[in-house]
Amino acid sequence: MTGPPTPATSRFEHVPLAVFASSAEASQSVAREIAALIRDRQKAKRTAVLGLATGSTPLALYAELVRIHREEVLSFSNVVTFNLDEYYPIAPSSPRSYRHYMQAHLFDHVDIPPTSINLPDGTAPSASLDAHCRDYEERIQAAGGIDFQVLGIGRTGHIGFNEPGSPRRSRTRLVTLDSLTRRDAAGDFGGEEHTPKYAITIGVRTILEARRIVLLAWGQHKAEIVRAAAEGPVTPQVTASFLQEHDQTQFVIDRAAAGALTRYRTPWLLGALGDLGLEWDAAMVRRAIIWLSQLRKKAVLKLTDDDYNEAGLQDLLRTQGSAYEVNLAGFYQLQHTITGWPGGRDPRRTKPGDAPVRPLRALSAGVFPKRVLVLSPHPDDDVIGMGGTLCRLAEHGHEVHVAYQVSGANAVSDEALARALRFVGDSGLAGPANVERLCALCDAHESTGSLPETPEVHNWKGLVRRQEAIAAARVCGVPSGRLHFLDMPFYHARPGSRRQLGDRDRSVMRELLGAIRPHLIFAAGDLDDPHGTHRLCLHALRDALARHSGEPWVRESELWLYRGAWSEWSADEIDLAVPLSPQEVLRRRRAIFCHETQKDIALFLGDDRREFWQRSEDRSRRLAETYNALGLAEYEAIEAFKRYAPEEFLRDLPL
Ligand code: F6R
């Protein structure tokens, strides 16, 4: 567990928080607490009543409880459970129902009596729904109330499905899902139009009556809402904020979900850094200066002693001297992130007086051309996240390889595939044996609007995306012979089941790295994609680097993380900023356009209605504006990267 002392943080945080280095450690700690409760109750010959959540957050918790049940002989015979919610209407047998989820991840693997399991009924007739909800509340009371409530938090701040606006006194009831919540769930249901509009959820008041409440949150995409719930006012607009009023609540979160808390984002507001066990190192100075410049709406070099003092940065002035000195130090740090030569300069074309390529490490700076490996989790992340830089690297003559880690088949709609199948059928390209099959598929699509969920259909969807990636890479100047389609198997897990890396996923990555031995690796460090694919892809890279770690090429290589469609690095995290010209922005747009199946009706657009090319352009333009507002030159657009030496990466993203 990490984090500075509580007295300082408690001025901002209104709920006790335990911050763990990883979600795995955090889940183990919560599982131990639940196991201890179950055992205590067994000794006292009493039941333990658990309130349970679904979603991606508690998966590792349930896996750990199952492990404890098996390996440490923990019986669930005295456990009674009440789930928070269920979609409505939904059949319990549907793989997307929460009943199915709970059976698959917990109930089928432990000895809980089926009669002790309670979930809202997604098939309750609408005429008797109110009675069903009242009965659910009565069953909780009859069981003696909830001893331990597990919660996740939605990006709307919901707990259970108590969406913004849910009153504190609410009880179990039918609710309409928030549009952001439905968009987050759309991937599981094959599109927003197939996602339920309603759910039955227990109420805020029911949750607050639990004797102990633990809210779990993992990942950067939860950081802002965790901050709002823990540091913001108590408001029905963020229903998780009601937990501040419960004296046995704890937020158990990982470091990424804690990232927006004052103690991490602006720790100087808590007091002198030395008293918090922190120091004014270069990274902290840069963060404070950028924060101050944005707060005062002034370029870095224009900040005065008064700006520092009035914003609570006296400690920085005291340790570093005057505003003039701090400004210069911060400004140079920022300026040195910018280069138009992301792979270094060709020594044969370097003239005396050319600016040095500063962000590159000295180790590989002299090697030209370099072997560059761009890792793209999905077939379009490379061009969305770093299309301009990709063009530059190819144009500068480097040996650029792009590896697409998963097939991306899940994000191709039936409509898009049916269109391709019709083309093949009508073109006469399919032999007589296949034409009939094609026609049958197209007819099925015509009448039902969907294609059968067969491995073959899934495979074809992957092929459609492969062709799109080849076309986009061609726009960027990367020949198809340097493209690697890894098709990592973890991506093909059944809907609702837990995705995890297997041996084959790891070995494909290992072999690729061993074959290319890249000088530069560009990987998606964007951990906010809704289904965790990017996170697993990054873990696969980490495992592969760890396996190669003794080899000299790894020590000399450099790793740059780019962001995908979901968010941008904040200015203080950027180590490499590649400015793009207006023509390069257009070329990147053309490359993104090649991913036709991801336009307009992409299944995974998330809470942002803009298409991927628009997000990419807005994001890189906004970053250029941010740099300009800080007092740096005015560029059309900037693509940004965070640097890791592989050994630091292995340390920061432990196995
Ligand atoms: C699920 C539930 C929801 C989720 C929340 C977070 O039973 O009640 O409140 O906990 O939507 O979902 P994930 O964990 O998928 O991010």
Side-chain angles (χ1 to χ4, degrees):
M1 251 196 317
T2 55
T6 331
T9 52
S10 61
R11 256 198 316 135
F12 291 89
E13 295 167 10
H14 308 307
V15 78
L17 278 134
V19 182
F20 285 82
S22 71
S23 58
E25 274 176 50
S27 304
Q28 282 158 12
S29 149
V30 177
R32 274 196 299 276
E33 187 180 339
I34 294 177
L37 169 75
I38 298 174
R39 287 203 172 101
D40 281 354
R41 291 296 167 87
Q42 272 158 8
K43 280 193 208 121
K45 302 217 173 334
R46 289 176 55 201
T47 54
V49 183
L50 305 182
L52 299 178
T54 53
S56 56
T57 308
L59 285 172
L61 167 66
Y62 296 147
E64 179 63 8
L65 284 172
V66 171
R67 190 200 64 75
I68 298 178
H69 164 72
R70 286 194 185 136
E71 294 173 17
E72 300 172 21
V73 209
L74 172 72
S75 171
F76 280 66
S77 56
N78 67 324
V79 172
V80 176
T81 63
F82 286 91
N83 263 81
L84 282 167
D85 40 25
E86 178 61 281
Y87 288 116
Y88 186 83
I90 201 161
S93 56
S94 159
R96 277 97 187 179
S97 76
Y98 284 167
R99 159 62 84 163
H100 186 274
Y101 168 108
M102 288 308 301
Q103 294 297 143
H105 296 293
L106 184 64
F107 300 151
D108 285 348
H109 312 288
V110 295
D111 60 340
I112 184 168
T115 49
S116 302
I117 296 171
N118 298 278
L119 272 104
D121 180 1
T123 62
S126 55
S128 55
L129 254 184
D130 289 346
H132 173 65
C133 294
R134 272 196 307 277
D135 175 60
Y136 202 68
E137 289 279 338
E138 280 161 19
R139 275 191 275 155
I140 296 176
Q141 295 305 324
I146 291 169
D147 293 308
F148 192 105
Q149 177 66 58
V150 177
L151 294 176
I153 180 168
R155 287 195 298 153
T156 56
H158 70 212
I159 44 177
F161 275 136
N162 293 287
E163 298 289 16
S166 299
R168 193 191 183 290
R169 56 172 197 287
S170 52
R171 290 289 188 188
T172 303
R173 66 205 186 286
L174 183 75
V175 290
T176 307
L177 294 176
D178 186 276
S179 50
L180 175 54
T181 303
R182 290 186 65 230
R183 268 177 260 150
D184 276 351
D188 290 338
F189 285 90
E192 216 174 306
E193 65 280 20
H194 305 297
T195 307
K197 289 195 178 60
Y198 306 102
I200 303 173
T201 179
I202 71 171
V204 176
R205 184 156 175 195
T206 329
I207 293 174
L208 291 176
E209 282 169 359
R211 283 181 273 280
R212 164 112 170 110
I213 303 177
V214 170
L215 179 141
L216 312 174
W218 328 131
Q220 212 166 22
H221 59 301
K222 296 285 173 80
E224 289 300 336
I225 199 67
V226 164
R227 174 189 167 97
E231 297 193 352
V234 176
T235 160
Q237 293 317 310
V238 180
T239 51
S241 67
F242 285 120
L243 299 173
Q244 294 178 18
E245 296 177 346
H246 187 282
D247 60 7
Q248 290 303 316
T249 287
Q250 189 176 32
F251 283 14
V252 174
I253 58 181
D254 69 359
R255 180 62 186 78
L261 296 171
T262 304
R263 61 161 111 167
Y264 293 112
R265 186 175 273 175
T266 48
W268 47 86
L269 296 178
L270 303 176
L273 286 199
D275 297 345
L276 302 169
L278 299 170
E279 55 174 323
W280 283 112
D281 57 16
M284 191 72 86
V285 169
R286 175 154 68 130
R287 179 130 52 96
I289 286 171
I290 293 173
W291 173 80
L292 184 65
S293 155
Q294 291 173 340
L295 183 78
R296 307 300 271 202
K297 297 194 174 37
K298 272 184 174 181
V300 168
L301 291 177
K302 290 183 180 168
L303 294 168
T304 63
D305 284 354
D306 288 347
D307 288 321
Y308 280 85
N309 280 328
E310 287 163 23
L313 281 169
Q314 297 91 341
D315 187 39
L316 175 59
L317 275 193
R318 188 177 52 77
T319 52
Q320 310 280 308
S322 67
Y324 178 78
E325 283 159 289
V326 195
N327 291 351
L328 271 183
F331 181 80
Y332 284 132
Q333 276 199 59
L334 279 166
Q335 198 178 42
H336 293 177
T337 60
I338 303 174
T339 182
W341 297 84
R345 218 187 266 277
D346 182 347
R348 289 162 310 183
R349 287 202 272 159
T350 308
K351 298 183 297 300
D354 277 347
V357 181
R358 289 198 192 84
L360 286 180
R361 283 209 305 176
L363 276 174
S364 65
V367 182
F368 198 98
K370 291 190 172 62
R371 286 187 301 277
V372 179
L373 173 61
V374 175
L375 290 169
S376 181
H378 299 95
D380 53 356
D381 292 309
D382 54 343
V383 286
I384 292 172
M386 53 169 291
T389 308
L390 190 60
C391 295
R392 280 275 169 96
L393 288 163
E395 210 169 280
H396 288 175
H398 298 289
E399 181 187 318
V400 181
H401 296 258
V402 185
Y404 301 97
Q405 292 171 281
V406 306
S407 76
N410 295 341
V412 176
S413 67
D414 288 349
E415 174 61 45
L417 179 62
R419 208 180 314 138
L421 294 181
R422 282 192 195 101
F423 169 80
V424 179
D426 291 355
S427 67
L429 288 168
N434 288 327
V435 163
E436 215 170 294
R437 224 152 45 95
L438 275 176
C439 291
L441 281 169
C442 294
D443 290 349
H445 181 256
E446 188 91 36
S447 55
T448 63
S450 53
L451 287 168
E453 286 185 30
T454 60
E456 195 179 33
V457 164
H458 190 74
N459 196 22
W460 290 335
K461 289 184 171 181
L463 284 179
V464 169
R465 295 212 67 185
R466 182 179 291 209
Q467 292 308 324
E468 292 175 343
I470 293 171
R474 192 179 308 124
V475 172
C476 296
V478 182
S480 60
R482 297 231 174 101
L483 305 182
H484 309 262
F485 293 92
L486 306 185
D487 196 10
M488 290 166 69
F490 80 81
Y491 179 73
H492 304 298
R494 279 176 295 112
S497 61
R498 189 177 179 211
R499 284 180 169 177
Q500 45 192 344
L501 291 178
D503 291 344
R504 182 81 197 111
D505 299 300
R506 294 195 171 89
S507 63
V508 211
M509 276 300 298
R510 236 184 8 250
E511 283 159 23
L512 179 81
L513 285 187
I516 299 180
R517 290 176 294 109
H519 299 104
L520 299 180
I521 303 171
F522 289 84
D526 166 320
L527 304 179
D528 283 350
D529 72 315
H531 289 266
T533 303
H534 288 214
R535 188 174 300 121
L536 284 175
C537 286
L538 201 60
H539 283 204
L541 169 65
R542 174 204 59 189
D543 294 354
L545 278 172
R547 288 299 286 269
H548 284 288
S549 62
E551 298 167 31
W553 70 265
V554 176
R555 281 194 300 278
E556 284 168 24
S557 66
E558 240 170 306
L559 170 62
W560 297 99
L561 300 186
Y562 63 92
R563 283 279 163 96
W566 313 99
S567 62
E568 181 57 280
W569 297 113
S570 61
D572 61 87
E573 293 172 302
I574 294 169
D575 295 310
L576 169 62
V578 181
L580 304 184
S581 68
Q583 289 77 3
E584 285 169 317
V585 172
L586 286 178
R587 189 164 167 202
R588 180 179 61 188
R589 186 190 295 182
R590 267 205 301 131
I592 300 175
F593 277 174
C594 293
H595 293 276
E596 280 178 46
T597 58
Q598 303 307 297
K599 276 180 60 59
D600 305 326
I601 52 156
L603 298 181
F604 294 100
L605 280 172
D607 59 332
D608 189 334
R609 286 293 176 193
R610 289 169 306 161
E611 287 185 30
F612 289 126
W613 68 272
Q614 290 168 312
R615 293 188 200 194
S616 177
E617 284 184 19
D618 288 353
R619 213 183 61 180
S620 57
R621 284 220 171 90
R622 233 177 302 125
L623 184 60
E625 282 159 20
T626 303
Y627 261 60
N628 189 224
L630 291 167
L632 292 132
E634 191 176 346
Y635 296 107
E636 173 75 7
I638 290 181
E639 285 179 350
F641 304 85
K642 182 170 169 55
R643 185 178 71 193
Y644 271 105
E647 61 275 16
E648 286 166 330
F649 177 63
L650 293 175
R651 193 194 56 218
D652 282 8
L653 202 68
L655 290 168

